[in-house]
Amino acid sequence: MPLRFAVVVFPGTWSDHDTQYALSGVLGQEADLVWHRERDLSRYDVVVLPGGFSYGDYLRAGAIGRFSPVMEAVAAHAEVGKPLIGICNGFQLLCEAHLLPGALMRNDSLQYRCVWVHMRVENAETPFTLACQPGQVLRIPISHGEGRYVADEETLAELESSGRVAFRYCSAEGEVTAEANPNGSMNDIAGIINDGGNVLGLMPHPERACEPLMGSEDGLALWLSLLEWAKVRA
Amino acid sequence: MAIDQRALDAIALSRDEYELIVSRLGREPNEVELGMFGALWSEHCGYKNSRPLLRLLPGEGAYVLTKRGEENAGAVDIGDGVCVVMKIESHNHPSAIEPYEGAATGVGGIVRDIFAMGARPIAILDSLRFGPLSDAHNRYLFGGVVGGISGYGNCLGIPTVGGEVAFEDSYTANPLVNAMCVGVAPIDKLVSAKAEGEGNLLMLVGADTGRDGIHGASGLASRTDPQARFDELRPAVQVGNPFLEKMLMEACLDLAGNHVDWITGIQDLGAAGLTSSSLEAAAMAGCGIHLDVAKVPRREEGMTPYEVMLSESQERMLITVRRGHKDDVVALFERWEVPWAVIGEVTVDGYARIYDGEALVADLPIEVVVEAPEYTREPVRPPELDEMQALDLAALSDLTDASAALLRLLASPNVASKRWVYRQYDQSVLTNTVIEAGADAAVLRIKGTERGIAVTTDGNGRYCHVSPSAGGAIAVAEAARNVVCVGAQPVAVTDCLNFGNPERPEVYYQMKEAIRGMAAACEVLGTPVISGNVSLYNETGEQAVYPTPVIGMLGLLEDVSKHCHTGFSAEGDEVFLLGAALEQPAAALAASEYLKLEHDLVGGRLEIDLDLEARVQRTALAAIRQGVANACHDCSDGGLAVALAEMCLAGGLGLDASAAPDVQRLDAALFGEAQSRILVAVPADKREELLTIAQGMNVPFAYVGRVDGDRLRLWSVDLPLTELRDAYEGGLERALEG
């Protein structure tokens, strides 16, 4: 049985088709594009909030999108423990909606950045990283202007001590260095999970790295992890 | 005569043109009507000066689906029922005044041209030219333009995959900002712009109409008085809303892709706003329109019919809705949360009747308004051409320190890596990008097929300045060569012709010669010009920009997996130069980057052998398609040494060419910019295959060296990759520090 993915489309979302293509075109799963006015996501196994500029990111990335009708259903989906992933703008939305702690601020360069980065798997026991080795380095593109992860000291300490930093920017060799951090994120954080372990937010775009022709297949690891997680749970 | 000169100046019409309007109408036009004439008879919309010259360019080809100039963009059949739609357009004048919004709305406008045809935009390219970065105002324009492209394009979710950036004195205060967009559509879903069918409804969708951009076409882009232009005309620059454009795009693509039977046409509102879009859409079908400006949603109160008809507010489209499908179309736009308004309907009498509620404010025969007069001028060869071409390059002393010269060249902003620019652009959204910005051309796959396309833009104002005709031909040849180097067959061109004031005979000469050169190259290389745009009056004070035709080239890969990269990929590969010997005469330094940078000279005379060019391109393409080539790169700006350094840096591998036979002039051999040269790296066991292909095509070639280690060694050049990388990748950023 394929997994059923809801790929939520806000006005201004643009990674919806890419995510659907990776999930159904490459991996053969069921992936529906769900318009942001939908209020019921209970039929889906996994919800993805893809990248883009919801409502143009006017005011602040994700600040308006979090009030979309679908967001209550997104919260309900997380509440029952089902996997929820926010990628890029989706990560920003999850932080704005307080489904994840912290915030994503303007890149320290004050410029948009679209480059290939490396990120290290810091916790290989989440539903999103089961298929990875601890410390495995994934090569995946980023594309954002507001991706600098910030949180207060207490939150950062809590994230670090409880294994909730899922991914950290690193060099190709897996070294965490200032040069490898593309946006100035605190603790070089590229992705985090919630305290329940079922909500992931990350800035890099795994859906863009699912075929050799696109320059990398490393993004598949996230989706394959979810398939494995579903099998283990069944 | 009642009309005064100031009223005519405001819309850039001449006294003679006014007389012509009166005689064609049989009466004097009122204010609204005159404004409409001004817009449609502007150079920007009416191509008064350029139309006779544009006819020189071939426009037809077996795969071309559109007639140039008739639709919003040109379309080419690429097989498997899919077509590629593309166009390039300038936004030079708005960007000179307000760089961020000027460039942003340039992107917005060209993207609308593509989705107006029902094609999903899959790539944006930007060809940019500025004055030197040593000047603070040029740095401001550069930063603003790049920021505007990034801000608008990224928000739309369309990758910006390529383009070019160049710096020359002549573009100071008059930057060139040319944006190209490429889209794909199923051939049977292509949509026309036509407004036809009596009683069908004209629906304006997207943004409200404001006072921004009035006189953009007539005043800003076509004005003959450059002195006054910049400060006075700031309000003529539009302000963009990329979020609304994104919603408008999705709604229009939904309409075109799934419900094309509900409409007869989709037309973008660009230059001259509602006036040009509605009249041109009706003219295309030989119909008329009845339009009520009172029904146009406004951004501000108190706008006159004149202002509504001439506003260039962005993010608006005009849809011709078939009777009986109004409710369907309304529901579709409401679902996408895009505002709409029915503002009129199609008639059959060929007249544009514009009302303001009950009052008739304009009543014009459309045929007369859309037919701008045409001017053929007498070209005069600029006297300085002879002087420039007579420059004795052989009298220059040869270089003494080749390594140092190479490092300076690699670090110069024209040659240095443009990574600082393109890392601000989303290049991979839509997951089609196989080769990203920074290569000879970008490669994109076409989902649902095995095919791919290669796209690039190319132009060289300095070349056209010293040899207008050869320069025009070289622009086409180099663009074609670039798509060949990634493994694509060149198939079609979209062009953006940037020149000064055509009323000056010397500028007209440059235009005519450059276009003749382009036409010759397009014929020989089999690449018709399917769409384009002309931008004239690019001047500051009395000084025109370098004549700069920019070529957007489309190439086709039957099998996208057979693409080729720039970088060396394997030690031991052997590197060959196709098209020429290593030795070059001093004349090869003509108009080169080296000549400008090291000698501060612009001169010499350019030549290109188009027949050789075609054979060299066929050789390289065959080598890639037959799996012989491991790497391939065009040898152009900066010459052989720069091209080899780029191949080393892109692949992270060095080259040993220290055994290359001695040459008379090191400067010409290393940095000369002779045309029709391509570098190819092949595994040692495939060298004979390459040479067999080259000999079969009667193409000269020369052995350069062997991929090896982490240094570039070429005659007296001997540098580690780290030093090359620092110069090449840090050059632009250091120049930006001022």
Side-chain angles (χ1 to χ4, degrees):
Chain A
M1 268 277 285
L3 279 185
R4 278 162 304 178
F5 287 82
V7 179
V8 180
V9 185
F10 298 85
T13 294
W14 43 232
S15 285
D16 44 350
H17 291 282
D18 300 356
T19 307
Q20 186 186 40
Y21 187 85
L23 291 171
S24 77
V26 179
L27 287 162
Q29 305 300 303
E30 277 180 29
D32 293 343
L33 299 181
V34 178
W35 187 234
H36 75 121
R37 298 215 172 267
E38 180 64 54
R39 291 180 183 274
D40 178 10
L41 297 172
S42 59
R43 63 189 178 283
Y44 294 104
D45 301 310
V46 181
V47 171
V48 184
L49 307 187
F53 285 60
S54 57
Y55 291 95
D57 279 352
Y58 293 155
L59 184 61
R60 192 172 65 242
I64 304 174
R66 67 160 289 208
F67 294 108
S68 268
V70 76
M71 286 306 286
E72 277 180 40
V74 169
H77 176 91
E79 187 68 26
V80 299
K82 291 189 198 174
L84 166 64
I85 307 185
I87 300 167
C88 193
N89 197 224
F91 187 12
Q92 294 161 339
L93 278 160
L94 292 177
C95 289
E96 288 287 336
H98 302 295
L99 289 168
L100 286 172
L104 293 145
M105 309 282 284
R106 192 98 191 265
N107 296 345
D108 59 354
S109 63
L110 302 182
Q111 288 178 347
Y112 199 93
R113 276 288 176 280
C114 179
V115 291
W116 286 88
V117 300
H118 294 91
M119 65 179 195
R120 193 172 73 191
V121 178
E122 299 291 285
N123 178 346
E125 288 164 19
T126 77
F128 315 98
T129 52
L130 275 181
C132 303
Q133 299 299 317
Q136 187 177 339
V137 175
L138 306 177
R139 183 172 173 272
I140 291 180
I142 58 161
S143 183
H144 58 248
E146 298 175 36
R148 178 166 55 95
Y149 183 76
V150 298
D152 58 43
E153 266 178 50
E154 204 179 323
T155 305
L156 279 178
E158 159 74 22
L159 289 174
E160 293 288 357
S161 64
S162 54
R164 287 171 53 196
V165 175
F167 303 105
R168 221 185 288 278
Y169 297 113
C170 65
S171 69
E173 294 75 34
E175 299 289 321
V176 174
T177 65
E179 297 75 51
N181 181 336
N183 52 31
S185 285
M186 286 182 166
N187 294 22
D188 305 283
I189 286 172
I192 57 170
I193 53 171
N194 67 340
D195 52 5
N198 65 317
V199 180
L200 168 72
L202 78 167
M203 288 313 296
H205 285 272
E207 79 284 0
R208 295 191 190 182
C210 293
E211 299 161 272
L213 192 59
M214 295 296 104
S216 169
E217 288 183 286
D218 290 359
L220 283 177
L222 272 84
W223 315 117
L224 293 174
S225 293
L226 280 167
L227 302 191
E228 201 171 308
W229 168 84
K231 229 182 280 170
V232 172
R233 251 178 46 124
Chain B
M1 186 62 59
I3 191 81
D4 75 359
Q5 194 58 43
R6 283 181 49 198
L8 291 176
D9 284 350
I11 52 172
L13 284 183
S14 70
R15 175 70 56 179
D16 287 347
E17 286 165 341
Y18 183 78
E19 305 291 351
L20 188 61
I21 290 168
V22 173
S23 89
R24 285 201 190 166
L25 282 184
R27 64 175 170 85
E28 302 221 358
N30 66 30
E31 189 203 3
V32 177
E33 292 169 338
L34 185 60
M36 291 167 69
F37 271 106
L40 286 171
W41 285 22
S42 66
E43 181 59 41
H44 194 77
C45 292
Y47 297 96
K48 296 186 278 210
N49 291 290
S50 48
R51 232 180 317 150
L53 298 180
L54 295 177
R55 287 193 202 106
L56 298 170
L57 296 167
E60 317 226 317
Y63 308 106
V64 182
L65 299 171
T66 44
K67 269 197 100 171
R68 189 171 69 222
E70 291 207 344
E71 294 287 350
N72 282 299
V76 185
D77 182 348
I78 63 161
D80 293 333
V82 178
C83 68
V84 168
V85 175
M86 68 172 187
K87 190 179 181 186
I88 190 166
E89 205 163 66
S90 63
H91 238 213
N92 304 339
H93 301 103
S95 302
I97 297 176
E98 207 331 287
Y100 186 97
E101 294 297 345
T105 55
V107 170
I110 196 65
V111 167
R112 284 196 303 282
D113 278 332
I114 301 306
F115 72 75
M117 309 240 336
R120 177 166 286 279
I122 62 163
I124 296 169
L125 297 94
D126 303 285
S127 173
L128 311 177
R129 284 172 176 76
F130 303 90
L133 290 174
S134 51
D135 176 86
H137 187 68
N138 290 335
R139 290 199 296 276
Y140 155 76
L141 292 175
F142 175 63
V145 164
V146 172
I149 291 166
S150 164
Y152 204 100
N154 294 345
C155 188
L156 294 182
I158 304 168
T160 298
V161 298
E164 46 179 346
V165 188
F167 305 92
E168 292 284 352
D169 291 322
S170 87
Y171 306 116
T172 292
N174 197 133
L176 301 186
V177 176
N178 296 176
M180 170 173 166
C181 186
V182 182
V184 289
I187 292 174
D188 56 2
K189 293 283 173 68
L190 266 188
V191 179
S192 170
K194 273 182 195 158
E196 64 182 343
E198 184 171 19
N200 285 340
L201 302 174
L202 298 173
M203 189 183 283
L204 184 61
V205 297
D208 291 351
T209 297
R211 286 195 168 104
D212 53 334
I214 292 170
H215 293 162
S218 57
L220 201 50
S222 307
R223 194 153 175 178
T224 51
D225 176 12
Q227 301 277 8
R229 200 167 64 197
F230 289 168
D231 294 328
E232 211 177 276
L233 291 175
R234 195 176 298 267
V237 180
Q238 316 85 343
V239 176
N241 178 351
F243 168 59
L244 181 54
E245 174 117 337
K246 163 74 173 159
M247 300 315 294
L248 187 60
M249 173 170 76
E250 296 302 337
C252 288
L253 290 174
D254 185 1
L255 185 60
N258 303 316
H259 309 288
V260 73
D261 52 318
W262 294 353
I263 58 174
T264 77
I266 303 180
Q267 169 80 311
D268 158 44
L269 273 75
L274 200 48
T275 296
S276 69
S277 64
S278 61
L279 270 65
E280 283 172 4
M284 218 180 274
C287 286
I289 51 164
H290 172 144
L291 200 151
D292 182 359
V293 293
K295 293 188 173 145
V296 174
R298 320 279 175 90
R299 204 173 284 168
E300 45 198 312
E301 289 179 10
M303 287 179 70
T304 63
Y306 181 95
E307 289 171 324
V308 172
M309 288 307 291
L310 291 176
S311 162
E312 293 186 8
S313 289
Q314 297 290 293
E315 294 93 21
R316 299 181 300 163
M317 307 290 277
L318 187 70
I319 318 277
T320 307
V321 180
R322 288 185 192 279
R323 264 171 308 173
H325 284 291
K326 180 192 161 194
D327 294 345
D328 297 326
V329 176
V330 167
L332 183 143
F333 281 99
E334 300 236 310
R335 178 179 183 274
W336 287 104
E337 303 175 23
V338 172
W340 59 272
V342 173
I343 61 166
E345 58 179 53
V346 179
T347 60
V348 288
D349 62 4
Y351 269 72
R353 296 216 164 82
I354 315 297
Y355 289 82
D356 183 7
E358 297 291 303
L360 182 66
V361 297
D363 188 3
L364 294 171
I366 289 176
E367 218 179 30
V368 170
V369 197
V370 298
E371 257 185 34
E374 201 173 285
Y375 302 121
T376 306
R377 300 179 185 279
E378 270 313 301
V380 173
R381 185 178 158 91
E384 70 268 21
L385 261 188
D386 292 330
E387 198 185 319
M388 277 191 298
Q389 294 187 348
L391 179 66
D392 183 6
L393 295 165
L396 296 174
S397 56
D398 201 351
L399 50 78
T400 47
D401 186 342
S403 290
L406 175 57
L407 289 175
R408 281 194 297 274
L409 214 52
L410 284 173
S412 80
N414 278 339
V415 172
S417 164
K418 306 303 183 294
R419 191 176 130 87
W420 184 91
V421 174
Y422 59 71
R423 73 185 178 189
Q424 299 184 53
Y425 303 152
D426 192 326
Q427 296 170 64
S428 49
V429 66
L430 301 182
T431 59
N432 296 320
T433 311
V434 176
I435 297 184
E436 297 179 343
D440 285 317
V443 173
L444 299 133
R445 68 158 162 200
I446 303 298
K447 281 190 184 127
T449 74
E450 297 291 306
R451 295 167 196 274
I453 57 169
V455 282
T456 191
T457 67
D458 244 301
N460 191 322
R462 198 195 299 142
Y463 284 3
C464 293
H465 178 60
V466 304
S467 296
S469 175
I474 289 170
V476 174
E478 192 176 329
R481 208 183 305 136
N482 283 340
V483 303
V484 161
C485 286
V486 296
Q489 170 76 44
V491 291
V493 164
T494 180
D495 66 341
C496 196
L497 304 171
N498 306 276
F499 293 92
N501 178 353
E503 294 157 41
R504 292 203 281 127
E506 293 82 7
V507 170
Y508 194 77
Y509 174 91
Q510 293 174 326
M511 253 173 89
K512 186 170 182 184
E513 289 302 305
I515 290 171
R516 277 168 31 129
M518 286 168 57
C522 286
E523 292 285 359
V524 173
L525 299 173
T527 53
V529 179
I530 62 166
S531 60
N533 161 247
V534 178
S535 174
L536 306 180
Y537 305 100
N538 289 287
E539 309 204 343
T540 308
E542 288 293 297
Q543 197 55 49
V545 297
Y546 279 172
T548 313
V550 170
I551 304 300
M553 181 68 72
L554 173 72
L556 184 59
L557 295 96
E558 301 277 329
D559 177 354
V560 71
S561 70
K562 289 188 179 153
H563 59 273
C564 192
H565 288 277
T566 301
F568 292 138
S569 57
E571 291 210 69
D573 277 4
E574 298 194 339
V575 181
F576 288 87
L577 178 67
L578 301 177
L582 296 182
E583 172 105 56
Q584 287 290 329
L589 291 169
S592 65
E593 192 62 29
Y594 173 85
L595 191 64
K596 177 83 205 298
L597 193 72
E598 299 286 307
H599 295 283
D600 198 24
L601 288 172
V602 174
R605 196 160 159 276
L606 292 164
E607 282 170 0
I608 180 164
D609 175 348
L610 288 169
D611 190 52
L612 173 64
E613 178 74 44
R615 283 182 279 126
V616 170
Q617 291 188 15
R618 279 202 293 275
T619 302
L621 194 55
I624 295 170
R625 286 186 172 166
Q626 293 174 27
V628 174
N630 270 346
C632 190
H633 190 29
D634 166 35
C635 190
S636 59
D637 299 3
L640 180 70
V642 164
L644 289 170
E646 287 171 343
M647 295 180 89
C648 288
L649 293 174
L653 288 169
L655 174 78
D656 184 358
S658 51
D662 281 345
V663 288
Q664 294 265 327
R665 287 200 68 117
L666 209 45
D667 53 1
L670 285 169
F671 305 120
E673 297 181 9
Q675 294 300 305
S676 313
R677 295 185 300 164
I678 292 177
L679 287 156
V680 182
V682 298
D685 62 359
K686 293 199 169 153
R687 122 185 224 143
E688 288 312 317
E689 276 182 70
L690 176 72
L691 302 187
T692 305
I693 299 169
Q695 282 155 351
M697 305 260 187
N698 192 22
V699 162
F701 56 85
Y703 175 71
V704 180
R706 209 169 143 270
V707 177
D708 175 63
D710 56 5
R711 298 183 78 83
L712 172 60
R713 283 177 291 183
L714 172 64
W715 291 301
S716 59
V717 171
D718 185 1
L719 289 162
L721 260 53
T722 48
E723 262 186 77
L724 293 171
R725 193 176 299 283
D726 180 65
Y728 183 69
E729 289 181 0
L732 186 56
E733 237 163 307
R734 278 191 286 270
L736 278 169
E737 283 157 16

